[in-house]
Amino acid sequence: MNSEIIQGSFRVINSRAHNIVKHVSRLRDDAAFRRSSRQALFQGNNAISHIAKTNKPDIVLSSSSEQLGSFVAKELFLVSPSVLQKISATESPETLAAVFPWPTHSSVEQSRRLLVLDRVADPGNCGTLCRTAVALGWDGVFIAGGCDIYNDKALRAARGVTLANIGVAFQSGSWEELLQTLAVRKKALGHGAALVADSKGGSPLEAFSRQIERNDGPVTLVLSSEAHGTRPAAELPGFQRVCIPLSALNDARSLAESLNVATAGGILMHFIASHHPHATM
């Protein structure tokens, strides 16, 4: 039986079996349900307040009535700590959770600095790279297979930036759809600089500094998953391969044969954005 009490401008839920609790929990766990409902669950007190400035939440749930009073949403619920724990599936949940509609992102066809995540499946890496891209002034991210950016762990790692309407395009699709998008973008913005990270066969990053500085067109950076590796040249027409030189010390190289994709991506994005004439850093 659903336990719900109407109180002021919000409703009270004390039962973990309530339909709203079931709906929210399913959003957390079921990617197909997220796609069909075009909603995502996010948890994080400070980040929710920032996201809500550009994307009105459908549902806000909190264990604090005072906290609920600061939000405008379609539905507000005051819930018990037990219900919050059910929703978050963690031992120590925060006091606030929200369901946001998927934002309507523009196409990456107009992005001047485009990050491509090629089969990056780990949600922590995917979310971190999305967050880093936004922080460093990249205005487009294309996810070619791999992670669902509205996965709970990916959203946490991204601090919710993929749910906000902040002028950054996030787009998911197949590799073939990416190539079609790049072709359209090339006609609109020019070829520009196209780089793919390749720790085994790439040229040192510094070799591209002057090329990037002189480039007044767009920039594209492809990061591939560590499990699948970099795609062959035939699948990356016009792309140049770049690597981050590691320490020459034998001990260091034996311990760190290559960098984690999120770490490498942060270094590459910072270097490119700081040399690109259209950088906003």
Side-chain angles (χ1 to χ4, degrees), residues 160-237:
V161 297
T162 47
L163 286 172
N165 288 303
I166 51 177
V168 178
F170 293 95
Q171 188 174 339
S172 298
S174 67
W175 188 255
E176 291 70 26
E177 288 171 326
L178 167 67
L179 295 180
Q180 293 171 8
T181 299
L182 291 178
V184 174
R185 179 169 171 260
K186 181 179 178 180
K187 289 181 180 179
L189 304 178
H191 180 69
L195 305 175
V196 55
D198 185 348
S199 62
K200 296 180 179 179
S203 300
L205 181 59
E206 291 77 8
F208 296 94
S209 59
R210 297 196 71 181
Q211 176 186 338
I212 297 170
E213 287 170 354
R214 293 173 177 175
N215 169 46
D216 60 358
V219 172
T220 306
L221 172 65
V222 176
L223 299 174
S224 302
S225 74
E226 296 161 80
H228 292 95
T230 308
R231 288 181 184 266
E235 296 185 45
L236 289 161

Side-chain angles (χ1 to χ4, degrees), residues 85 88-93:
Q85 189 176 50
S88 66
T90 61
E91 290 294 327
S92 303

